[in-house]
Amino acid sequence: MSSIRRATILKLASAAYEMDLDVMNGIVRQDENGRWYVGNHDLTAWLENHLGEEMVLVSGSLADEREVPTRTCRTCGRDYTDLECPYCRANRIRLRGHA
């Protein structure tokens, strides 16, 4: 997997974790009783706890070999491969007085 794609997936997971959302990372497996796990997290129990809720699930394989597409920022016109334009993000943070 390209290091850019892996870093982008992990940054997305980090953003979800910072929002106090459930983040699971690990090998997907199924035990002899039919229960699904992601790493040591019991996915079956997690899904049962959220039964009836409207959810958004995002999965990203760290073994995915596809290239990360280069996008052009609509604000500054620079090309980037991150989740958002890093130049504009840095300026937003600076102008808002964070850091």
Side-chain angles (χ1 to χ4, degrees), residues 36-96:
W36 289 95
Y37 291 86
V38 177
N40 293 327
H41 305 282
D42 187 343
L43 183 59
T44 306
W46 183 84
L47 288 170
E48 288 169 354
N49 288 337
H50 295 285
L51 190 63
E53 294 180 24
E54 184 177 7
M55 302 292 295
V56 173
L57 297 176
V58 178
S59 68
S61 173
L62 296 179
D64 191 341
E65 295 294 336
R66 291 179 291 167
E67 291 291 321
V68 176
T70 300
R71 296 181 287 198
T72 302
C73 179
R74 292 186 193 182
T75 303
C76 70
R78 288 179 172 84
D79 291 337
Y80 64 97
T81 56
D82 214 340
L83 296 174
E84 61 182 337
C85 175
Y87 179 81
C88 290
R89 181 180 186 284
N91 282 325
R92 275 194 311 277
I93 291 170
R94 181 180 55 81
L95 292 171
R96 292 179 182 157

Side-chain angles (χ1 to χ4, degrees), residues 5-29:
R5 185 171 197 83
R6 182 180 179 90
T8 303
I9 290 170
L10 292 174
K11 187 179 278 189
L12 177 62
S14 178
Y17 183 79
E18 287 174 6
M19 291 178 59
D20 201 25
L21 301 175
D22 294 325
V23 177
M24 296 180 197
N25 184 5
I27 304 295
V28 177
R29 62 183 173 82

